[in-house]
Amino acid sequence: MSSLTSVDISYNHLEGPLPNTKAFEDAPFQAYQNNDKLCGNKTSLMPCSINRSDGGKGRNHNKVVLQVLVPTLGILSFIVAMIFLVHRNIMKDNEIQPNRATKKDLFEIWSFDGKLVHENIIQATEDFNDKHCIAVGGYGIVYRAELPCGQVIAVKKFLPLHDGELANLRSFTSEIRALTEIRHRHIIRLLGYCSHPRHSFLVYEFLEGGSLDKKLSCEEEALSLDWGKRMNVIKGLANALSYMHHGCSPPIIHRDISSKNVLLDLEDVAHLSDFGTARLLNLHSSNWTSFVGTLGYAAPELAYTMEVNEKLDVYSFGVLTLEVIMGRHPGDLISSLSSSTLDSLPPSSYGIFVKNVLDKRLPLPRNQAEEEVVLAVKLALACLRPNPRCRPTMHQVSTALLTQKLGLQSPFVMITLGQLLDDNCPNA
């Protein structure tokens, strides 16, 4: 009885005093209502009166013992029976659908038992042993953890300083704030987090495909990422950023879009990850920041202004799009091209330009795939405009990619190369 945490004995026609244990003492009125002759120091119950005369002492004492023991045994039998039935049903369900049922039930339990979560993760990673490490970042280390139920999760453990505090508390809280506000197919799902003096970490779904940069850098895996899959990666990320910039209130700016922060599942569906530098925009004031992001993806205006806005993500998306199409980081291409160079390129030779930057490990795209790739390059170049106001919004980019797929006409799909590179562009 001492291990009980809650009890409900209502509508059972019980009598006698309530047991003097924490579960019964803390029980609300509804837990013991509609019983005939219960007594005790609880609301709506009569005080227990025990006849202590010498003549009836033994008999009354035995009566009190029976009054306590009988309902107590009845309650215990009921609880044991319910535990058996629930356990049998869970085991039966797991036999039918072991993976889905186990994972679902696990996280239902986790939401109520933080201590169990922490202990399972510590055991699964062997106290964060290096052999379970799958990635290292500026703010923490990511571990692969397989739990006793068989479910695999990713755990991002933040690096502590010598005094035990987080190396970047803002990164820890920013990631939690951002990911608890959003739900999207192409954004990684946060399952939970732990803030502890010894271990502070975030728990994510585990994506078996790994990061996009590793996929593109491996010859064999890059070949499996054909033009259709690559275009789906670009479209998925464009849709996710459009949702963050235009579908969230306040808007969320990622600020570190790069191929290492894009994770793939077994079907090569892209998921944007690592929201440690994300910012929720204050629409009623200026938003300023120190430099964050990854070199080679960060917008050039960060060299002279520290204002946070959605155009930072737009530029990084342009770099990432070219990387997906080229199969490598487009740094050399970006530095070698200037507005005047592209502006002098005749429309008839634009197709040749696109073919020259395609990933040579794949055969040339054909038919609709070719049209989609050409459009993606045009959009990427528009996103890379030095003037932030001349860059399109992610809503425009996502709409253009979607309407092209559906064969519809969109003003932005029909944009010309000269319009993309016009220095006198209207404000976006």
Side-chain angles (χ1 to χ4, degrees):
M1 296 291 287
S2 62
S3 63
L4 283 178
T5 57
S6 63
V7 65
D8 188 341
I9 58 173
S10 58
Y11 297 92
N12 276 297
H13 305 290
L14 301 176
E15 62 181 46
L18 286 177
N20 187 25
T21 62
K22 182 174 177 58
F24 287 94
E25 290 176 352
D26 294 343
F29 165 71
Q30 293 80 3
Y32 53 84
Q33 65 182 346
N34 288 327
N35 286 286
D36 296 337
K37 299 178 181 179
L38 283 181
C39 64
N41 188 23
K42 297 288 292 184
T43 303
S44 78
L45 294 183
M46 295 294 293
C48 296
S49 58
I50 302 176
N51 188 348
R52 296 189 178 277
S53 64
D54 293 339
K57 182 176 180 180
R59 181 172 63 254
N60 289 334
H61 176 71
N62 292 337
K63 182 178 180 180
V64 170
V65 170
L66 288 175
Q67 286 176 337
V68 175
L69 185 60
V70 171
T72 300
L73 291 176
I75 294 168
L76 282 176
S77 300
F78 173 78
I79 293 173
V80 171
M82 289 302 297
I83 292 175
F84 172 78
L85 290 174
V86 170
H87 178 71
R88 187 180 66 177
N89 289 336
I90 290 176
M91 293 301 293
K92 183 178 180 181
D93 290 341
N94 286 347
E95 290 175 359
I96 298 173
Q97 292 177 321
N99 292 334
R100 186 173 65 183
T102 300
K103 291 182 180 180
K104 181 179 178 182
D105 292 340
L106 175 67
F107 283 101
E108 286 179 352
I109 293 172
W110 276 30
S111 62
F112 294 102
D113 194 343
K115 184 177 180 181
L116 176 63
V117 180
H118 189 271
E119 291 176 353
N120 282 342
I121 290 176
I122 298 300
Q123 293 174 3
T125 60
E126 299 180 61
D127 201 11
F128 297 104
N129 191 293
D130 288 344
K131 69 181 182 181
H132 298 283
C133 172
I134 56 176
V136 178
Y139 300 113
I141 303 174
V142 182
Y143 298 84
R144 180 185 183 276
E146 183 171 355
L147 302 176
C149 66
Q151 184 172 5
V152 181
I153 58 174
V155 182
K156 180 178 179 181
K157 178 177 177 291
F158 282 73
L159 300 174
L161 295 174
H162 295 296
D163 58 2
E165 295 182 359
L166 292 177
N168 197 321
L169 180 60
R170 179 176 294 180
S171 174
F172 182 71
T173 56
S174 294
E175 196 147 0
I176 295 172
R177 285 187 64 198
L179 289 175
T180 52
E181 294 290 329
I182 53 183
R183 295 288 186 276
H184 195 278
R185 180 171 184 256
H186 296 286
I187 297 176
I188 195 165
R189 188 160 61 100
L190 178 68
L191 301 177
Y193 64 91
C194 173
S195 180
H196 189 273
R198 184 182 178 193
H199 299 304
S200 291
F201 52 78
L202 305 175
V203 182
Y204 300 98
E205 59 178 331
F206 182 78
L207 299 175
E208 298 86 345
S211 63
L212 179 61
D213 68 326
K214 291 183 178 179
K215 190 93 171 182
L216 292 174
S217 61
C218 176
E219 186 81 19
E220 183 178 350
E221 294 189 9
L223 288 173
S224 68
L225 203 62
D226 58 30
W227 291 117
K229 290 181 178 179
R230 296 192 189 201
M231 286 307 305
N232 285 336
V233 167
I234 294 171
K235 293 172 187 176
L237 295 176
N239 190 262
L241 289 171
S242 176
Y243 164 74
M244 290 167 54
H245 293 178
H246 307 286
C248 295
S249 182
I252 299 174
I253 312 302
H254 189 280
R255 298 200 297 165
D256 194 13
I257 306 295
S258 67
S259 57
K260 67 180 176 62
N261 289 335
V262 175
L263 302 178
L264 305 173
D265 62 17
L266 288 178
E267 285 79 37
D268 291 319
V269 175
H271 297 72
L272 189 57
S273 69
D274 200 344
F275 282 71
T277 59
R279 282 282 293 273
L280 279 65
L281 282 190
N282 186 342
L283 299 179
H284 304 290
S285 66
S286 298
N287 296 269
W288 303 96
T289 181
S290 56
F291 178 85
V292 295
T294 302
L295 292 177
Y297 297 88
E301 63 267 22
L302 283 175
Y304 55 86
T305 179
M306 294 300 177
E307 184 177 3
V308 177
N309 56 59
E310 70 278 3
K311 299 298 183 172
L312 301 179
D313 284 352
V314 173
Y315 183 93
S316 300
F317 173 80
V319 178
L320 181 59
T321 298
L322 287 181
E323 183 175 359
V324 173
I325 291 172
M326 297 174 63
R328 65 183 187 280
H329 189 275
D332 293 339
L333 175 65
I334 294 174
S335 61
S336 65
L337 295 177
S338 63
S339 295
S340 59
T341 302
L342 288 173
D343 210 13
S344 61
L345 190 68
S348 59
S349 61
Y350 188 72
I352 299 175
F353 167 76
V354 172
K355 290 181 179 179
N356 287 335
V357 301
L358 297 180
D359 191 342
K360 299 297 189 295
R361 295 172 294 185
L362 294 181
L364 291 176
R366 300 295 181 186
N367 303 323
Q368 183 179 345
E370 181 180 5
E371 296 178 3
E372 291 185 346
V373 170
V374 170
L375 174 62
V377 173
K378 287 184 178 182
L379 294 173
L381 293 176
C383 293
L384 295 176
R385 290 309 313 275
N387 186 347
R389 294 177 299 175
C390 295
R391 298 169 195 158
T393 66
M394 288 310 304
H395 176 70
Q396 289 175 313
V397 173
S398 180
T399 301
L401 291 168
L402 177 62
T403 52
Q404 173 76 358
K405 179 181 179 181
L406 297 177
L408 304 175
Q409 285 191 347
S410 166
F412 205 74
V413 173
M414 306 305 294
I415 198 166
T416 66
L417 182 61
Q419 289 173 312
L420 285 173
L421 304 173
D422 184 7
D423 285 328
N424 300 315
C425 63
N427 292 346

